[in-house]
Amino acid sequence: MQEEWKAVVGAKDFEVSDLGNVRVWRTKDGKHPAMYPRAIEPVPSGDYRRVNINKIMRRIGHLVLEAFVGPRPIGMVCCHGPNGQQDDSLTNVSWGTQSKNLGEDKIRDGTDRSGEKHHYSRYTDEQAQQIVDRHFAGESIALLSKEYGGKYETIWYMVKRKTWKHLRDPAIVTTTPAFDMFAD
């Protein structure tokens, strides 16, 4: 498969490829009309790859999407696929919502830091599930916080599903009476 190049939107003489490479067309000495392409190396900047285009730092993923897909839709962001944020190829980037980018994409990519993966977590996923199940069965938050050694607020947020949202819902336990008084 051959690399395809398109002009960077709003930047004269700059091109971006479907593989996430960027180049600029320049003359050899500024006097001769013959132009040649010169690759632009990405600048390390956080988790994303960026390039300096006309004194403005631009994310390469955005350049690829603008050139090959179209302008960014209102309310959308550049989402990277399973190959991570260092792969700005057209097959790995797409326009998507911020909630998708921070939710299901992080879970898919294994970069989600919720529950026991969070660096401040004092509970395992199993303990948190037990707490939620026991509260659903009728035990008080005060008793659970005392037993598990956590703050009341921490347990409250957990059982109200403000945090630990990835846990399964508690099973609804139905008890059947020993006999049915309305049966014939």
Side-chain angles (χ1 to χ4, degrees):
M1 181 174 148
Q2 189 170 352
E3 190 170 16
E4 183 181 351
W5 292 88
K6 288 195 175 184
V8 170
V9 176
K12 185 179 179 228
D13 298 332
F14 286 87
E15 292 182 328
V16 64
S17 78
D18 58 344
L19 299 180
N21 297 314
V22 182
R23 68 184 181 189
V24 62
W25 288 88
R26 295 286 188 229
T27 59
K28 290 206 184 267
D29 57 12
K31 298 177 185 175
H32 297 90
M35 302 280 280
Y36 71 97
R38 182 175 61 88
I40 300 177
E41 291 298 318
V43 176
S45 180
D47 295 335
Y48 299 99
R49 296 173 57 223
R50 300 172 193 251
V51 290
N52 188 339
I53 296 183
N54 297 329
K55 298 182 182 177
I56 298 173
M57 294 302 290
R58 304 276 311 271
R59 288 185 181 173
I60 296 175
H62 288 208
L63 300 176
V64 170
L65 288 172
E66 288 172 350
F68 288 91
V69 176
R72 179 171 67 167
I74 295 173
M76 298 291 184
V77 296
C78 176
C79 297
H80 285 78
N83 293 340
Q85 297 169 335
Q86 296 298 311
D87 180 2
D88 291 308
S89 65
L90 185 57
T91 58
N92 194 55
V93 292
S94 63
W95 294 125
T97 63
Q98 183 71 0
S99 61
K100 177 183 178 292
N101 202 25
L102 295 177
E104 64 187 63
D105 285 359
K106 283 187 168 245
I107 292 169
R108 178 201 62 214
D109 299 340
T111 57
D112 179 43
R113 295 289 172 244
S114 60
E116 67 184 16
K117 295 177 186 172
H118 194 276
H119 59 280
Y120 285 132
S121 175
R122 75 176 337 168
Y123 304 110
T124 64
D125 285 347
E126 185 179 337
Q127 289 171 321
Q129 189 67 59
Q130 289 172 0
I131 291 169
V132 170
D133 290 343
R134 288 176 61 184
H135 176 70
F136 189 78
E139 294 189 38
S140 72
I141 294 173
L143 174 71
L144 291 167
S145 65
K146 188 174 185 179
E147 185 177 327
Y148 283 90
K151 291 183 179 178
Y152 180 93
E153 294 81 10
T154 303
I155 303 298
W156 186 89
Y157 276 104
M158 186 185 297
V159 300
K160 298 299 182 186
R161 305 312 280 270
K162 304 291 184 189
T163 58
W164 297 80
K165 296 176 187 178
H166 66 285
L167 298 177
R168 66 167 170 72
D169 288 331
I172 298 175
V173 180
T174 57
T175 57
T176 56
F179 62 92
D180 187 355
M181 63 174 26
F182 300 108
D184 289 336

